[in-house]
Amino acid sequence: MSRELNKKIRRAEFFSGLALSIATGLSLVIGLVLTRRLWLTVKMAAIFFIALMFALGKFRERSAGAVMGSAFSVIVVSYAYDFYSDLSLLFDCKGEELEIFMRSAVTGMIRSAFVFAAAIMCALIYMGMISITRRRTLMIFLYAFIAACLLPFMLELSNIVTEITLLLSLCFIPENSSTETKLGKTGRLSILFFPIAAAVSALMMLSSVLIMAVVPLPGSGEYPAAFLVLEKVLFGAGPIIMIIMLLLFPFLLFDKQFNYDTQKKLQKAEDALK
């Protein structure tokens, strides 16, 4: 393994874990103090532990495997319940109510199903029960996962933190390559700048809320058009930045070692020597 490459990816793991720990801490406060939703608090506590393992660099250790798997299992149960709840509501709706609820329920179920699948994969991988041998297979799943998560376009902090945690968990677990490569630099850079992007996105969305709170209400005749445009730009730019970062994350896998790809390279080298 390249020492320089390992240091760069380790730095990415630390900053990502730190950023997720801060975001999860905020979610824990919101879930426990403001909404008093115990289950949300349990899920966020599991994610906080995973983020802490990223920051400390302990997530690959065999001794942490069972605990990491248990943390991912909490996410599995949570999203299985979310899927069941959306499905039950969908069956209970009738007539016009069904048409209104259909889109949000279907997109929500698709997202819950993908998060459920990703959490199961993470639980089994970190407990050492399965391993992913092909980079292409994992990248196809990750982009399908990202698309499913973006489909409902609901900016809920607990969901965003959960989805990013699973994405990083699948990106970080494969071993680093033994040689330096160029393709992975984009994804590595995106994860290194994740804390900055998250802070900028949050600041933009907060600024848009403050603008709406300060200026007169629409219809009063005093609502400046410039403020409306600025509010839309700020509120839209934050999520867009985060989406771009999400799309770049899987490129980190080009700096990771996969058994199938390694064997394929060795086979090509042997064939070239014949």
Side-chain angles (χ1 to χ4, degrees), residues 118-221:
I120 287 180
M121 286 174 60
C122 288
L124 295 177
I125 290 170
Y126 279 84
M127 286 190 290
M129 294 183 177
I130 64 169
S131 62
I132 298 175
T133 60
R134 299 186 66 168
R135 180 185 295 108
R136 184 183 300 175
T137 302
L138 182 55
M139 290 193 75
I140 290 172
F141 174 79
L142 286 179
Y143 277 110
F145 172 72
I146 292 171
C149 292
L150 294 177
L151 194 61
F153 206 75
M154 293 175 62
L155 302 175
E156 186 177 338
L157 183 59
S158 64
N159 285 334
I160 293 172
V161 169
T162 303
E163 291 151 8
I164 290 178
T165 300
L166 292 173
L167 182 66
L168 295 182
S169 299
L170 290 172
C171 285
F172 283 149
I173 188 59
E175 291 292 345
N176 301 338
S177 295
S178 58
T179 57
E180 188 77 34
T181 57
K182 294 181 179 179
L183 291 172
K185 291 183 182 296
T186 306
R188 200 160 59 234
L189 192 66
S190 73
I191 298 179
L192 280 170
F193 282 100
F194 170 72
I196 299 173
V200 171
S201 299
L203 182 61
M204 286 181 173
M205 287 184 278
L206 178 62
S207 300
S208 69
V209 173
L210 291 175
I211 288 174
M212 293 299 293
V214 170
V215 300
L217 292 173
S220 64

Side-chain angles (χ1 to χ4, degrees), residues 82-149:
D82 288 346
F83 182 86
Y84 172 77
S85 297
D86 287 339
L87 189 62
S88 299
L89 287 172
L90 190 62
F91 282 127
D92 291 338
C93 292
K94 296 179 181 179
E96 294 182 0
E97 189 181 18
L98 178 61
E99 294 180 5
I100 296 171
F101 187 67
M102 178 66 78
R103 182 184 177 278
S104 61
V106 171
T107 55
M109 285 190 294
I110 291 173
R111 180 179 65 183
S112 295
F114 268 93
V115 175
F116 177 80
I120 287 180
M121 286 174 60
C122 288
L124 295 177
I125 290 170
Y126 279 84
M127 286 190 290
M129 294 183 177
I130 64 169
S131 62
I132 298 175
T133 60
R134 299 186 66 168
R135 180 185 295 108
R136 184 183 300 175
T137 302
L138 182 55
M139 290 193 75
I140 290 172
F141 174 79
L142 286 179
Y143 277 110
F145 172 72
I146 292 171
C149 292

Side-chain angles (χ1 to χ4, degrees), residues 32-81:
L32 184 61
V33 178
L34 299 180
T35 65
R36 301 186 183 277
R37 291 166 61 187
L38 179 62
W39 178 240
L40 175 65
T41 305
V42 172
K43 185 179 74 171
M44 288 296 103
I47 294 173
F48 181 79
F49 172 78
I50 295 169
L52 194 62
M53 290 296 101
F54 285 154
L56 296 176
K58 303 291 185 181
F59 62 97
R60 281 202 191 91
E61 294 182 3
R62 184 172 296 179
S63 57
V67 186
M68 290 283 286
S70 300
F72 286 115
S73 297
V74 172
I75 302 174
V76 171
V77 175
S78 172
Y79 276 85
Y81 177 77

